[in-house]
Amino acid sequence: MVKTFKYIILGGGVAAGYAAREFAKQGLKPGELAIISKEAVAPYERTVLSKSYLHPEFPSRLPTFYVYAGPRREILFPEWYSEKGIELILSTEIVKADLAAKSLTSAGGETFSYQILLIATGSTVIRLSDLGVQGADAKNIFYFREIDDADKLYEAIKAKKNGKAVVVGGEHIGMELSAMLRCNNLDVTMVYPEPWCMSRLFTSDIAAFNEGYYAKKGVNIMKRTVVVGFTANSDGEVKEVKLKDGRVLEADIVVVGDGIRPQTALFKGQVEEEKGGIKTDGFFKTSVPNVYAVGDVATFPVKLYNELRRVEYAEHACQSARKAVEAIKAAEEGKTVEEYDYLPVLYSHQFGHAWEFYGDNVGDTVLFGDSSPESSIPKFGSYWIKDGKVVGAFWQGRIEEERDAMAYVARVRPSVQNVDELAREGFSFARKI
Ligand code: FDA
């Protein structure tokens, strides 16, 4: 039997929750909308998984972090969906999508049809076994994307109390998981090939603070080398991590945060792609009529920079979902909405230290404030300057008090006359704009 809906959201992650909230806000009849998700739980705030979910004493657990999408950031519990007549079709993986026939087929053989499809399938991790790394299928080598992955890691942390953990990758996930493993009192070593951590965003100065802070907290960092293999014990559990430079690290747990790729395989050859994602316009419409793509999978026009980009940030997942639904509903009434006007936002916190970034990290940089890892209350920032204008703003430590000003600077891109003066002014430059 074919189950038919007016709207289907494919994927049950961050974007799906915010899209559902927007559909409900804009007006939805019971039975019109379904969310189909491989995961067994309703949409939740994925960013919590690598942070408080692994807290040693007070780990966050559902229902406290189902997406909080409303104006007062109310939590969308599973009952919210049933009250709104939204069907949550969970533990259901779609294995075939026929966009011309407007139909989706699940691994269990069910068929779903729709009038409008919102693709929100997010990203999947890149596995070391796919890259041919020897021994990468040993037990206790973990990847981290969904709540099941977090549960498995949490169990391993408990089982390998005070053991040794190796984290592969020095980007966002590697940084957050290293901090949480260390908070759980594991002996943690990070391994990454780049000259410094978070090298896609951080300058060497920002990284110097963070690496110094991690060292102070007891995290070992091995840079400029890669993992080439693993050995396992007689139970098949990982025992050693072999590095390209010849060093060998003991390990009870390995966590790999070595990159992700957008989940677009279902739609290959059916929809236009760009920069690894599904190409959309500024309303998240794809090249196929009545098919929209949002969140990590969408390659969309960034008006501010006049170029197409694909980003893997939570804030974009929320905002793109809202915009797509606004556009869908407006089109039904013959109206139009403003095009998406995205300002990149990325945030994180580790060891109780938060940072935020707004804008574009291109051009020259200026560091200001107290960026010594030894300070009792470090607080510093960095601006990126391109063509004489501030285009990006990063800051770390007591973030709330600077957020509005720093976001505004990145949005309006003020001119800079004197870079030395900018470094002296620091946060006050942003506050006076
Ligand atoms: P998301 O990945 O949230 O959801 C995709 C959903 O689709 C999943 O439920 C998946 O199972 C489902 N799905 C995929 N294929 C399917 C199929 N064939 N059939 C059925 N279901 C299918 N960002 C940030 O800005 N700051 C941060 O601090 C963090 N921290 C962070 C921590 C961790 C652990 C992760 C994994 C990610 C982050 N991020 C982040 C990134 C952020 O979470 C990410 O950009 C959003 O979750 C993207 O939202 P989407 O809805 O696009 O995908």
Side-chain angles (χ1 to χ4, degrees), residues 88-292:
L88 272 181
I89 303 172
L90 302 176
S91 305
T92 301
E93 182 177 8
I94 294 300
V95 291
K96 186 173 169 228
D98 184 338
L99 298 184
K102 297 188 165 187
S103 118
L104 305 172
T105 309
S106 74
E110 301 142 294
T111 307
F112 304 92
S113 76
Y114 56 82
Q115 290 172 33
I116 294 181
L117 176 67
L118 200 62
I119 301 171
T121 43
S123 302
T124 187
V125 294
I126 297 174
R127 292 178 176 267
L128 294 181
S129 41
D130 296 343
L131 304 176
V133 175
Q134 175 219 347
D137 50 3
K139 290 182 196 155
N140 292 337
I141 299 180
F142 297 96
Y143 295 85
F144 208 84
R145 183 73 201 176
E146 300 189 344
I147 200 161
D148 285 351
D149 304 321
D151 286 335
K152 285 180 197 146
L153 180 59
Y154 188 78
E155 288 311 313
I157 291 171
K158 300 286 162 224
K160 302 289 178 186
K161 223 171 168 40
N162 305 331
K164 290 183 190 300
V166 173
V167 175
V168 182
E171 291 293 331
H172 203 124
I173 296 295
M175 293 295 283
E176 292 193 347
L177 290 177
S178 297
M180 290 318 296
L181 289 164
R182 187 70 201 113
C183 290
N184 279 278
N185 212 29
L186 278 96
D187 178 354
V188 180
T189 302
M190 293 180 75
V191 179
Y192 46 86
E194 296 85 8
W196 62 77
C197 65
M198 290 283 301
S199 62
R200 283 192 281 164
L201 171 65
F202 285 2
T203 62
S204 56
D205 296 323
I206 299 173
F209 168 81
N210 283 279
E211 290 178 353
Y213 201 77
Y214 271 50
K216 204 170 127 182
K217 292 286 180 186
V219 176
N220 312 304
I221 296 183
M222 295 188 176
K223 302 187 257 188
R224 299 177 191 270
T225 189
V226 292
V227 171
V228 289
F230 300 93
T231 58
N233 64 20
S234 53
D235 294 330
E237 294 181 339
V238 67
K239 193 175 106 194
E240 288 171 338
V241 181
K242 294 191 264 180
L243 305 186
K244 193 172 182 186
D245 60 17
R247 284 180 289 184
V248 176
L249 307 172
E250 284 177 47
D252 300 301
I253 291 176
V254 172
V255 189
V256 184
D258 203 25
I260 54 176
R261 63 169 76 93
Q263 305 215 72
T264 56
L266 280 175
F267 316 102
K268 281 268 173 277
Q270 301 187 63
V271 65
E272 213 176 311
E273 293 191 45
E274 185 86 35
K275 296 187 173 172
I278 298 172
K279 187 178 174 190
T280 75
D281 65 9
F283 308 96
F284 297 100
K285 262 197 242 167
T286 71
S287 59
V288 178
N290 298 316
V291 177
Y292 292 71

Side-chain angles (χ1 to χ4, degrees), residues 10-16 36-39 44 46-51 92-95 120-123 144-146 172-173 176 263 266 294-297 311-315 317 345-349:
L10 176 54
V14 175
I36 305 179
S37 178
K38 196 154 59 72
E39 291 187 85
Y44 58 89
R46 193 168 305 287
T47 62
V48 171
L49 295 181
S50 50
K51 304 179 181 72
T92 301
E93 182 177 8
I94 294 300
V95 291
T121 43
S123 302
F144 208 84
R145 183 73 201 176
E146 300 189 344
H172 203 124
I173 296 295
E176 292 193 347
Q263 305 215 72
L266 280 175
V294 293
D296 281 12
V297 291
V311 300
E312 296 153 358
Y313 303 156
E315 188 60 27
V345 185
L346 185 57
Y347 55 84
S348 181
H349 60 87

